[in-house]
């Protein structure tokens, strides 16, 4: 796989499954170098044989949902002002009709049980901010008075004067007269405007200086439930509450379903036919912000105000992979569980759980129809396919990743390597073709409570194609191996996580004689940038390093990052000496390894100052270094950044390795 082959990384949305179980609709998305953005449309897939046809031709149609009768599909598409709106169309094809016209754009939506309405959250901005006044740029806005910790978000920027509220609207008439723009008239004045709306009027249910998320209708469709933070201590903790609004009342007060006093951070709520609710949530401990290695669990509420009962085991089960969601079925709940680099679909009942779809794949979404369970999955050779479980067993039925496979994908060898303290370290090794010896790149993932998985990974594939063996593992601190594994580095960063990655590297070198133990590189992003910078201050065997979007100084992180007000305090503690004892910036004077520092200008998760100060310190002390800074990008550059920037990043990365670890395929300086 070459850098430009990222165009073949086709990912799929959660499937919208027709009640008959005969077909499903998915949104496919991929990077386009020509458009310099992610592009994608909706596809209708036969669940019998995987045959598919394109339903829409929008630039980036996404997040499809079907009405309960399966006749109408709703999805998100950007409008003429690049704001995401809900659109509706016949499920068998036709012209989409705009269903919302929110100035700030729609964030999430849900379909009512009768199929005639949608509930959605939309961004509501203070007048005069964020483009709400034509011709008023950001530099001309009024100053922002900041009094709260939650005032920034990576990928968004300032949250001052920006809230997410809940709305309800009827679906548009798909058989109605189309909307036509009003032509100018000789008698028009400055006050003349087009009085034909773009979409049905929406009723705003929530109000105030609060955010709302995860909207869903009650079983009878009379109320809308959502997650919100309204409690007095909301600026100092990570817990939230579940409330409901009357779906027909514009200025009603919310009714509490689950209080923030329960100490949970709720990601999703689903009503059950018996009047109860199921939740995906995390315990936040006594402080309300003890989030380190807190696995997402399935909870049940028997009725509003009841105590939430934990159904899955928080010490060993984790339902928290990105995109994870719950589906209520007649005999239990379907959820996605991440474990040992996989993400499987499991069926949970009061008596336990059983795997439905598993193996060497990562489930990213699921749905059910008559006699069939459907999942969208990432596999070792594809970024997105549709898998089906029916009376014939589990089958992957599509070939969205065919062009990626044609470009060339190398499969890794999986290892469990015993570390110096007797604990196993789990990971993978990719080896290029040929006898070797091959130079080796040690990759370290972000998080840290995340995991490398079995799904195809462009970082490893591009490196292998350039002649490098790639070693990567899930050290202590990672997700997928139980809470004890994840919490091991709390206020002890750079201890057992450091020894785990080095022990896995040494074990991989022993297991693969075709690897060159004298020619090593190391790289990582976010927490991986942290551990890379920490490692090269303690171990000088590496020929070169790449520190990317790193968490490099816990002290300055607290005042600059969108999560700084809680992240460092939980992971490194707040004692100044303890923080410095875990700080790569405090140990930068020990670094001798040539280091490329990579960052994005609009990164509010690990702000640019982390990189700039680290790079400047390396340069001041005479270490070979360079700072690669991307304009217009945030913390997600390598995953969802502009495709041209992603390719340029690969070019710089390979040029750095070509200089310090040249191969026959990559020897540029």
């Amino acid at each position: 796989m070459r850098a430009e082959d990222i165009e073949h990384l086709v990912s799929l949305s959660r499937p919208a499954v027709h009640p008959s179980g005969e077909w499903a609709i998915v949104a496919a998305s991929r990077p386009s170098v020509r458009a310099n953005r992610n592009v994608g449309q909706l596809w209708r897939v036969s669940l019998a044989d995987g045959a598919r046809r394109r339903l829409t031709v929008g630039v980036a149609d996404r997040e499809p949902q079907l009405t309960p009768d399966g006749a109408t599909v709703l999805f998100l598409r950007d409008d003429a002002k690049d704001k995401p709106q809900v659109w509706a169309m016949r499920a068998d094809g036709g012209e989409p009709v705009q269903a919302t016209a929110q100035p700030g754009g729609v964030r999430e939506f849900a379909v009512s049980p009768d199929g005639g309405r949608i509930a959605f959250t939309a961004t509501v901005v203070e007048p005069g901010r964020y483009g709400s006044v034509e011709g008023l740029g950001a530099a001309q806005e009024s100053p922002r008075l900041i009094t709260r910790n939650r005032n920034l978000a990576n990928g968004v920027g300032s949250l001052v004067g920006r809230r997410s509220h809940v709305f309800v609207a009827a679906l548009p008439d798909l058989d109605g007269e189309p909307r036509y723009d009003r032509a100018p008239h000789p008698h028009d004045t400055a006050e003349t405007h087009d009085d034909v709306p773009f979409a049905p009027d929406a009723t705003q249910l929530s109000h105030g200086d609060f955010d709302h998320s995860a909207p869903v209708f009650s079983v009878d469709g009379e109320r809308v439930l959502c997650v919100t933070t309204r409690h007095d201590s909301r600026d100092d903790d990570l817990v939230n509450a579940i409330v409901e609004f009357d779906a027909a009342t514009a200025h009603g007060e919310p009714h509490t379903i689950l209080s923030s006093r329960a100490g949970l951070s709720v990601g999703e709520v689903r009503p059950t036919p018996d009047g109860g609710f199921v939740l995906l949530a995390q315990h936040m401990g006594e402080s309300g912000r003890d989030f380190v290695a807190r696995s997402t669990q399935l909870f049940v509420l028997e009725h509003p105000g009841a105590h939430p009962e934990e159904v899955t085991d928080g010490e060993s089960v984790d339902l928290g992979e990105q995109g994870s969601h719950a589906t209520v079925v007649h005999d239990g709940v379907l959820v996605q569980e991440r474990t040992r680099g996989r993400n499987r679909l499991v069926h949970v009942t009061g008596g336990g759980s059983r795997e439905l779809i598993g193996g060497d794949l990562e489930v990213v979404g699921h749905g059910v129809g008559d006699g069939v369970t459907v999942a969208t999955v990432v596999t070792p050779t594809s970024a997105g396919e549709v898998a089906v479980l029916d009376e014939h067993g589990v089958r992957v039925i599509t070939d969205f990743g065919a062009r990626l496979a044609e470009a060339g994908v190398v499969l890794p060898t999986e290892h469990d390597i015993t570390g110096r303290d007797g604990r196993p370290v789990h990971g993978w090794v990719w080896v290029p073709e040929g006898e070797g010896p091959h130079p080796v790149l040690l990759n370290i993932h972000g998080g840290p409570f995340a995991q490398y998985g079995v799904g195809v990974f462009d970082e490893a594939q591009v490196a292998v194609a350039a002649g490098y063996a790639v070693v990567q593992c899930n050290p202590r601190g990672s997700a997928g191996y139980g809470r004890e594994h994840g919490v091991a580095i709390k206020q002890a960063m750079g201890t057992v996580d450091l020894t785990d990655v080095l022990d896995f590297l040494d074990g991989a070198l022993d297991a693969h004689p075709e690897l060159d133990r004298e020619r090593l590189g190391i790289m990582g992003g976010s927490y991986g940038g942290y551990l890379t910078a920490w490692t090269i201050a303690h171990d000088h065997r590496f020929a070169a390093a790449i520190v990317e979007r790193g968490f490099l100084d816990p002290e300055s992180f607290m005042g600059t990052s969108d999560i700084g007000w809680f992240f460092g305090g939980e992971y490194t503690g707040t004692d100044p000496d303890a923080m410095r004892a875990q700080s790569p910036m405090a140990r930068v004077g020990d670094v001798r390894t040539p280091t490329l520092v990579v960052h994005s200008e609009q990164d509010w998760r690990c702000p640019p100052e982390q990189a700039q100060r680290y790079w400047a310190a390396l340069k001041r002390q005479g270490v070979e270094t360079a700072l690669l800074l991307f304009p217009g990008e945030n913390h997600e550059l390598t995953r969802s950044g502009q495709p041209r920037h992603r390719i340029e990043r690969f070019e710089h990365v390979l040029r750095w390795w070509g200089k310090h670890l040249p191969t026959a395929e990559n020897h540029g300086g």
Side-chain angles (χ1 to χ4, degrees):
M1 177 182 173
R2 301 173 64 85
E4 56 268 26
D5 292 325
I6 62 171
E7 289 199 305
H8 306 322
L9 293 171
V10 180
S11 60
L12 300 183
S13 69
R14 179 190 309 189
V17 184
H18 192 266
S20 68
E22 296 178 357
W23 50 266
I25 294 175
V26 295
S29 177
R30 67 173 182 85
S32 168
V33 176
R34 181 175 183 274
N36 199 29
R37 60 168 296 168
N38 281 351
V39 300
Q41 298 81 39
L42 304 189
W43 293 77
R44 177 164 158 165
V45 179
S46 167
L47 300 180
D49 56 11
R52 66 181 191 263
R53 64 183 177 91
R54 199 187 308 260
L55 279 183
T56 64
V57 292
V59 174
D61 299 333
R62 55 203 184 271
E63 299 184 32
Q65 294 186 41
L66 285 167
T67 52
D69 61 4
T72 302
V73 59
L74 298 105
F75 59 95
L76 292 183
R77 169 186 285 182
D78 293 348
D79 62 16
K81 294 184 177 181
D82 293 327
K83 299 297 183 181
Q85 306 293 350
V86 180
W87 297 69
M89 64 180 288
R90 300 292 184 198
D92 55 1
E95 188 72 20
V97 177
Q98 191 169 337
T100 64
Q102 294 297 310
V106 171
R107 299 168 63 90
E108 304 166 280
F109 72 95
V111 185
S112 65
D114 64 6
R117 295 163 296 154
I118 53 173
F120 59 90
T121 55
T123 301
V124 178
V125 303
E126 178 184 324
R129 297 197 185 278
Y130 312 117
S132 59
V133 175
E134 194 74 29
L136 184 68
Q140 288 78 47
E141 289 184 10
S142 297
R144 298 166 186 155
L145 180 63
I146 298 171
T147 60
R148 303 191 58 184
N149 286 325
R150 301 174 191 260
N151 64 83
L152 279 175
N154 182 65
V156 177
S158 174
L159 298 178
V160 175
R162 194 191 318 246
R163 288 287 174 237
S164 178
H165 283 293
V166 183
F167 296 76
V168 168
L171 291 190
D173 181 3
L174 299 184
D175 295 321
E177 185 77 7
R179 183 188 187 280
Y180 312 106
D181 289 336
R182 182 184 183 279
H185 189 279
H187 296 161
D188 284 351
T189 67
E191 287 73 33
T192 302
H193 64 277
D194 194 338
D195 57 1
V196 178
F198 281 89
D201 290 337
T203 299
Q204 183 173 338
L205 302 184
S206 65
H207 299 270
D209 191 24
F210 311 109
D211 285 312
H212 306 77
S213 63
V216 64
F217 280 95
S218 59
V219 172
D220 60 12
E222 295 183 0
R223 299 172 305 283
V224 175
L225 293 83
C226 66
V227 175
T228 188
T229 50
R230 292 171 170 249
H231 57 288
D232 291 341
S233 63
R234 63 186 180 278
D235 196 40
D236 297 311
D237 59 43
L238 299 171
V239 303
N240 52 29
I242 301 171
V243 300
E244 65 177 6
F245 294 90
D246 186 321
T249 303
H251 294 281
E253 288 297 316
H255 174 252
T256 300
I257 301 296
L258 176 71
S259 169
S260 60
R261 290 190 296 273
L264 298 182
S265 176
V266 180
E268 182 182 68
V269 55
R270 287 285 180 265
T272 57
D274 61 2
F277 311 88
V278 297
L279 325 173
L280 290 180
Q282 300 167 297
H283 278 296
M284 285 293 109
E286 292 185 7
S287 68
R289 56 177 180 269
D290 183 9
F291 76 99
V292 174
R294 290 287 183 178
S295 298
T296 298
Q297 299 301 307
L298 180 67
F299 293 83
V300 171
L301 283 180
E302 292 187 355
H303 54 78
H307 176 74
E309 299 293 337
E310 186 173 311
V311 179
T312 52
D313 178 20
E315 296 298 315
S316 60
V317 175
D318 183 10
L319 312 178
E321 192 61 75
Q322 186 174 5
S324 186
H325 59 100
T327 298
V328 177
V329 293
H330 74 281
D331 58 348
V333 183
L334 306 187
V335 291
Q336 296 159 207
E337 178 188 356
R338 62 179 171 183
T339 177
R340 288 182 57 82
R342 281 83 173 165
N343 203 39
R344 60 185 191 145
L345 183 66
V346 296
H347 180 204
V348 179
T349 65
S353 65
R354 62 185 177 92
E355 179 180 287
L356 297 182
I357 298 177
D360 286 341
L361 50 78
E362 300 173 43
V363 175
V364 296
H366 66 271
V368 296
D370 186 19
V372 65
T373 301
V374 183
T376 42
V377 301
V378 180
T379 75
T381 58
S382 175
E385 303 294 348
V386 176
V388 170
L389 170 64
D390 56 19
E391 69 273 13
H392 304 295
V394 178
R395 297 170 291 132
V396 175
I397 63 172
T398 55
D399 61 350
F400 283 95
R403 294 188 66 187
L404 181 65
E406 292 171 3
V409 175
V410 176
L411 299 181
T413 302
E414 191 167 359
H415 291 279
D416 278 290
I417 291 173
T418 301
R420 66 192 68 183
D421 61 359
R423 294 283 296 264
V425 189
H426 177 227
W428 297 264
V429 178
W430 285 259
V431 180
E433 293 182 355
E435 295 182 1
H438 306 289
V440 180
L441 302 181
L442 174 62
N443 280 3
I444 306 175
H445 69 64
F449 196 58
Q451 64 171 1
Y452 277 134
V454 297
V456 63
F457 183 39
D458 58 338
E459 296 286 333
Q461 296 297 329
V462 170
V464 170
Y468 299 96
V470 176
V471 173
Q472 58 189 49
C473 65
N474 290 326
R476 272 170 283 187
S478 303
Y481 303 83
R483 176 162 166 76
E484 180 186 357
H485 185 91
V487 80
I489 66 169
K490 182 175 181 178
Q491 299 187 20
M493 294 182 73
T495 58
V496 292
D497 46 349
L498 171 65
T499 57
D500 278 358
V501 297
L502 293 178
D503 291 349
F504 189 85
L505 173 62
D506 290 334
L509 294 172
D510 292 340
H512 293 270
E514 66 271 37
L515 306 189
D516 189 344
R517 64 177 62 242
E518 302 302 321
R519 302 179 66 217
L520 306 175
I522 182 172
M523 67 183 297
S526 197
Y527 160 76
Y530 166 91
L531 196 53
T532 297
W534 186 256
T535 301
I536 59 177
H538 292 79
D539 191 311
H540 305 294
R541 73 173 91 175
F542 298 96
I546 298 178
V547 172
E548 189 161 13
R549 59 181 185 275
F551 167 59
L552 303 174
D553 188 345
E555 292 181 276
S556 63
F557 193 81
M558 182 178 294
T560 56
S561 166
D562 66 343
I563 61 172
W565 61 277
F566 66 88
F567 182 90
E570 296 301 311
Y571 263 111
T572 65
T574 56
D575 177 77
D577 292 336
M579 293 170 70
R580 283 191 288 272
Q582 300 167 78
S583 169
M585 193 67 201
R587 297 296 299 269
V588 68
D590 297 325
V591 175
R592 303 196 296 267
T593 306
T595 302
L596 175 65
V597 182
V598 184
H599 223 93
S600 296
E601 286 186 347
Q602 295 178 11
D603 189 339
W604 289 113
R605 183 60 38 84
C606 294
E609 61 85 20
Q610 298 274 302
Q612 291 163 333
R613 292 173 53 243
Y614 185 77
W615 166 76
L618 291 176
K619 196 167 183 65
R620 185 171 59 247
Q621 66 198 41
V623 175
E624 181 184 352
T625 186
L627 174 62
L628 180 64
L629 196 59
F630 284 87
E633 300 290 356
N634 60 49
H635 198 66
E636 300 303 308
L637 165 64
T638 62
R639 293 177 281 264
S640 59
Q642 298 172 53
R644 292 174 189 168
H645 278 166
R646 292 176 65 180
I647 291 175
E648 288 174 324
R649 173 192 166 276
F650 272 128
E651 291 170 349
H652 280 277
V653 165
L654 292 179
R655 192 175 297 123
W656 186 257
W657 295 133
K659 179 180 181 180
H660 296 282
L661 290 170
T663 67
E665 298 84 358
N666 182 47
H667 48 76

